[in-house]
Amino acid sequence: MSGAEPAAPTEADGLPLWVAVETPQHSGLTGPLAYRADRIWPPGTLLRVPLGRRDVLGVVWDPERVDEEPPDPATWREAGAVFDALPPLPASWCALVDFAARYYQRGTGELALAVLPPELRKLEPAGLAQRLARLRKREATARARAAQALPLVQRPEPGADQAAALAAFEAACGEARPKPQLLYGVTGSGKTEVYLRAAESVLARGRQALVLVPEINLTPQLEQRFAERFPGRRVLALHSGLTPVQRLRHWLLALLGEADIVLGTRMAVFAPLPRLGLIVVDEEHDPSYKQQEGARYSARDLAVWRGHAEGVPVMLGSATPSLESWQRALDGRYQRLDLQARIGGGPLPRVRLFDMGVLPREPGGQGPLLAPRVLDSLRERLERGEQSLIFLNRRGYAPVLHCADCGWKSGCPHCSAWRVFHKGERTLRCHHCGFTERVPRACPDCGNQDIAPIGRGTERLEEQLAPLLPGARIGRLDADTARGKGELERRLAEVHAGEVDVLVGTQMVTKGHDFRRISLVVALNPDSALFASDFRAPERLFALLMQAGGRAGRDAAAATPPEMWVQTWHPTHPLYQALKRHDHGAFAADQLDERRGAGLPPFSHLALLRAEARDVDIAAAWLEGAAAAARALPVAEGVMLYPPVPPPVSRVAGIERLQMLVEAASRPRLQALLAQWVPQLQALKARHRGLTRWAIDVDPLGI
């Protein structure tokens, strides 16, 4: 009878097994599904199950974590083959996935399957069992060989600040629920040595360490440091740059407890570690820890949650902590550990500001490439055989091509953005949708053959430096030059070997690299972020410039004091004045005062609802309907919904984008609204034909 309660399952029906699978987004199914099994497998067990017409990978889920009752047994389908050669995923892993799915408003199966190695989906239980047998045999042989001749490892003596930080870490290890520790250390102060000794401490107790880095290009050098310090220990990486087979092998070693130390990017926060004893988040302020597609999770925040849930210490390291972490340290929720001296007593670079407003402008309104005093500093370093770094956070030759006769510019036909001129490839490329065309011989609108580049990217900067610094060996490192396999490592090796005199690069060269020979850093054209609409733009700029300056003077024995030049049109701006003093505390206090007055994070909590459609009116109508649905909910009291607005790039690949900001004074109030509101949004989509997709972003980085 319609509306009748399903009959309670009997023994004849089989046993209900809840399984997390990746269900289609349009299905509206977000939780685990019920299957029929002849026995109840432990939560975390991997198995194959039918879904529609497909056979898919699933994870047995704890029924206590499932909100709904089992459906009518008549609707159950038979569970398939079980991966019984593999131990179940730890209960702590399932709890982490369950929390992340609820907090970031994603399906449990969607998130669980997204963070598993893709290669697992292709395997049957018998095939995985064979791989595991070979893997265990190979690992046993490798460990036996490593144990035969372990080299003596020389460890530097910790400084006073490092020793104090390590003592605080050891004290935290004895606590049932240790506070996260914010390791606030200036660039070159030896944060990595603290990580190494903390890892050594937990390894001695038979535990595993998880170390997160913001970007793939930082993984190899850190992996080498850990491997050198811990010979005979299994140190491995987890990131998207691995081949599918490598990623599966490393993931299996982590789950089996064979990996002692796992280093990785944001995805590694979900590494299944049965003996976890330490989590390190290096450069914790970095925006790369926030996933920007699919389940938009923050690996840093999940690391803190995981540490609390599993009772293990979490160490967040940065020279420029995020304002959220800084405020939590001020509130006493985090323990702050300061490293305020560079290793060896070396000085921080002297920051000098050059006012570009005093120089005459070139044709086209641009200032000169390098101010005379900055150019003199570069030449002096060259004469002394020292290296310099020039930081320009814009790749390509020029941001746009322009026709002076008719005003044509190289816009992207599919996006509300310019196509960037890449001279070496003779292409115009959109960095948003990837649309690429050859550079036209003449203006497409009026036929004028004199079309010229406007602005400057790293490719043009490299070209223009050559005549200014004759004889200098100029290298460039950005996403274009590091694209090929092994190119990043090769170019970094050239810098470390002293084969480059002047390194030109984007932000990828400013983070974490230990360039021992660089004594001068020059930052070009950083002003655009000062007046951006995104309230986090000044914070990101300050961190980026502090990190860039920190590449200079890392060798305390160098004879020449390190220096940083910033070419700016606004030298009196408070951000630059704090930068001159290396005063993160003053900058943070100023920014936090502004945010407190404006009711912005960390003093409020945000979510962004994004809508995409080929017609902007369809996206707007859907968002307005979503807002009306939210306001009708009783839990909407105290939650502010702002009118829909376009993001900075409002059209990408022919799709119009709008977003609506949701703000609440408390996190529980925002989560209560989202939990009731998000399930309604899929049904709302069905009533607005033409909506391409929608997404909710909890704790967005940019608005």
Side-chain angles (χ1 to χ4, degrees):
M1 184 181 295
S2 176
E5 292 291 329
T10 66
E11 189 172 341
D13 296 322
L15 298 169
L17 194 68
W18 289 102
V19 181
V21 294
E22 188 173 8
T23 53
Q25 287 192 344
H26 61 79
S27 68
L29 299 172
T30 58
L33 304 180
Y35 288 85
R36 178 183 293 107
D38 56 3
R39 58 169 287 190
I40 295 298
W41 293 92
T45 300
L46 295 178
L47 76 171
R48 311 289 306 190
V49 293
L51 183 67
R53 298 181 180 180
R54 298 178 297 141
D55 181 60
V56 300
L57 182 68
V59 185
V60 176
W61 219 246
D62 187 344
E64 293 186 3
R65 295 186 177 276
V66 181
D67 292 335
E68 56 264 26
E69 294 294 324
D72 187 339
T75 66
W76 298 353
R77 300 181 68 180
E78 294 287 344
V82 174
F83 291 79
D84 51 4
L86 192 68
L89 290 156
S92 57
W93 183 90
C94 296
L96 176 65
V97 169
D98 194 62
F99 167 78
R102 292 173 187 268
Y103 185 82
Y104 293 105
Q105 303 298 320
R106 307 299 296 196
T108 304
E110 174 199 6
L111 186 57
L113 273 295
V115 300
L116 293 178
E119 191 75 1
L120 267 178
R121 302 182 187 215
K122 305 176 184 178
L123 296 176
E124 294 297 328
L128 181 61
Q130 292 175 355
R131 291 199 188 196
L132 281 171
R134 292 195 299 267
L135 182 63
R136 286 188 168 106
K137 184 176 180 180
R138 194 161 50 234
E139 283 302 306
T141 303
R143 282 190 178 271
R145 287 176 181 170
Q148 289 175 1
L150 296 180
L152 182 64
V153 179
Q154 296 291 333
R155 300 187 308 164
E157 285 299 316
D161 288 349
Q162 290 173 314
L166 289 165
F169 169 76
E170 290 297 334
C173 288
E175 299 174 6
R177 287 286 186 271
K179 286 182 181 180
Q181 295 178 319
L182 180 61
L183 188 63
Y184 169 47
V186 298
T187 53
S189 60
K191 293 186 289 295
T192 302
E193 180 62 26
V194 176
Y195 304 155
L196 287 163
R197 286 185 175 255
E200 181 181 39
S201 175
V202 300
L203 292 181
R205 294 194 287 270
R207 308 294 290 275
Q208 296 168 293
L210 172 63
V211 181
L212 302 182
V213 294
E215 295 185 4
I216 292 175
N217 66 69
L218 297 178
T219 309
Q221 67 177 23
L222 197 59
E223 187 177 2
Q224 182 181 359
R225 290 281 300 274
F226 274 85
E228 290 172 350
R229 178 62 66 89
F230 302 110
R233 295 286 195 172
R234 196 66 167 94
V235 180
L236 55 81
L238 268 180
H239 54 72
S240 59
L242 301 173
T243 66
V245 173
Q246 287 174 325
R247 184 172 163 189
L248 174 60
R249 183 170 67 247
H250 292 187
W251 183 88
L252 289 172
L253 290 172
L255 173 61
L256 296 172
E258 295 290 336
D260 297 302
I261 300 170
V262 173
L263 299 104
T265 50
R266 60 177 175 260
M267 69 165 60
V269 75
F270 291 101
L273 298 166
R275 297 180 287 105
L276 183 62
L278 167 68
I279 303 176
V280 170
V281 185
D282 191 29
E283 309 291 1
E284 66 87 29
H285 66 276
D286 198 287
S288 298
Y289 283 120
K290 182 73 189 294
Q291 172 79 8
Q292 295 298 335
E293 290 294 332
R296 291 169 167 82
Y297 63 85
S298 165
R300 179 200 64 200
D301 295 347
L302 287 181
V304 171
W305 189 92
R306 184 175 186 179
H308 178 78
E310 299 192 40
V312 301
V314 177
M315 191 172 285
L316 310 171
S318 178
T320 53
S322 65
L323 294 184
E324 284 82 359
S325 296
W326 191 259
Q327 182 61 40
R328 286 171 188 146
L330 293 176
D331 292 343
R333 286 180 285 170
Y334 290 0
Q335 181 184 15
R336 201 176 96 192
L337 310 175
D338 291 358
L339 305 180
Q340 290 306 302
R342 280 188 150 185
I343 295 297
L348 290 167
R350 177 191 178 193
V351 178
R352 306 174 72 181
L353 307 175
F354 190 90
D355 184 359
M356 296 297 287
V358 304
L359 299 177
R361 297 207 177 206
E362 295 178 346
Q366 295 184 78
L369 172 63
L370 293 170
R373 294 175 66 188
V374 176
L375 186 57
D376 289 343
S377 294
L378 283 165
R379 288 169 175 160
E380 289 171 8
R381 305 285 166 164
L382 280 170
E383 291 172 2
R384 288 197 288 265
E386 299 169 1
Q387 291 177 318
S388 300
L389 167 65
I390 302 184
F391 165 58
L392 175 63
N393 204 24
R394 178 177 287 156
R395 62 188 172 103
Y397 189 85
V400 63
L401 285 183
H402 172 248
C403 173
D405 283 2
C406 72
W408 171 86
K409 291 183 180 179
S410 56
C412 176
H414 310 297
C415 306
S416 55
W418 307 117
R419 281 181 293 162
V420 176
F421 174 35
H422 291 261
K423 186 177 181 181
E425 305 169 0
R426 297 298 300 170
T427 61
L428 292 174
R429 187 193 315 155
C430 177
H431 290 175
H432 297 277
C433 72
F435 179 69
T436 303
E437 283 186 329
R438 299 291 295 175
V439 175
R441 296 182 178 275
C443 173
D445 286 355
C446 72
N448 173 31
Q449 295 188 350
D450 187 19
I451 52 177
I454 296 179
R456 186 179 292 117
T458 48
E459 185 183 0
R460 189 179 191 184
L461 174 59
E462 180 186 23
E463 177 185 281
Q464 292 177 329
L465 281 173
L468 295 175
L469 302 170
R473 297 168 297 176
I474 301 171
R476 175 163 61 96
L477 188 55
D478 53 29
D480 295 324
T481 61
R483 191 180 306 158
K485 182 176 177 57
E487 276 299 302
L488 173 64
E489 291 77 9
R490 183 182 69 81
R491 290 175 182 269
L492 287 173
E494 289 175 350
V495 179
H496 288 299
E499 298 171 8
V500 172
D501 298 316
V502 179
L503 177 63
V504 172
T506 55
Q507 63 177 340
M508 69 160 44
V509 301
T510 67
K511 306 173 185 178
H513 296 292
D514 191 22
F515 298 126
R516 308 301 293 179
R517 304 172 188 231
I518 288 179
S519 60
L520 172 66
V521 172
V522 178
L524 301 183
N525 193 30
D527 291 342
S528 58
L530 294 177
F531 308 104
S533 58
D534 186 352
F535 71 91
R536 283 195 171 95
E539 179 186 3
R540 286 196 291 266
L541 175 61
F542 185 82
L544 201 53
L545 293 176
M546 285 277 282
Q547 295 288 336
R551 300 315 104 197
R554 299 180 76 86
D555 183 0
T560 310
E563 189 175 44
M564 179 184 191
W565 275 104
V566 179
Q567 293 191 172
T568 172
W569 300 88
H570 305 278
T572 60
H573 194 282
L575 184 148
Y576 292 134
Q577 295 304 311
L579 182 70
K580 281 186 68 173
R581 303 188 303 271
H582 299 277
D583 195 346
H584 175 269
F587 170 77
D590 181 63
Q591 286 290 302
L592 287 170
D593 282 345
E594 287 188 15
R595 293 195 189 180
R596 186 181 288 105
L600 292 169
F603 306 105
S604 67
H605 304 276
L606 307 179
L608 267 183
L609 181 61
R610 295 187 169 98
E612 300 181 1
R614 294 199 174 275
D615 186 337
V616 69
D617 291 336
I618 293 175
W622 185 82
L623 285 174
E624 288 166 2
R631 293 189 181 103
L633 295 172
V635 292
E637 185 179 353
V639 179
M640 174 73 74
L641 286 87
Y642 291 86
V645 295
V649 180
S650 61
R651 187 176 77 256
V652 172
I655 301 296
E656 300 289 345
R657 308 192 300 174
L658 285 177
Q659 60 188 28
M660 182 170 67
L661 183 65
V662 185
E663 176 188 303
S666 76
R667 196 187 306 273
R669 180 165 290 180
L670 177 62
Q671 282 291 315
L673 172 71
L674 296 178
Q676 295 186 28
W677 185 36
V678 170
Q680 299 182 11
L681 298 181
Q682 189 63 48
L684 184 65
K685 179 179 184 296
R687 298 199 296 271
H688 289 75
R689 300 179 63 85
L691 187 73
T692 306
R693 65 173 182 170
W694 63 272
I696 193 81
D697 186 357
V698 182
D699 300 336
L701 280 189
I703 60 173

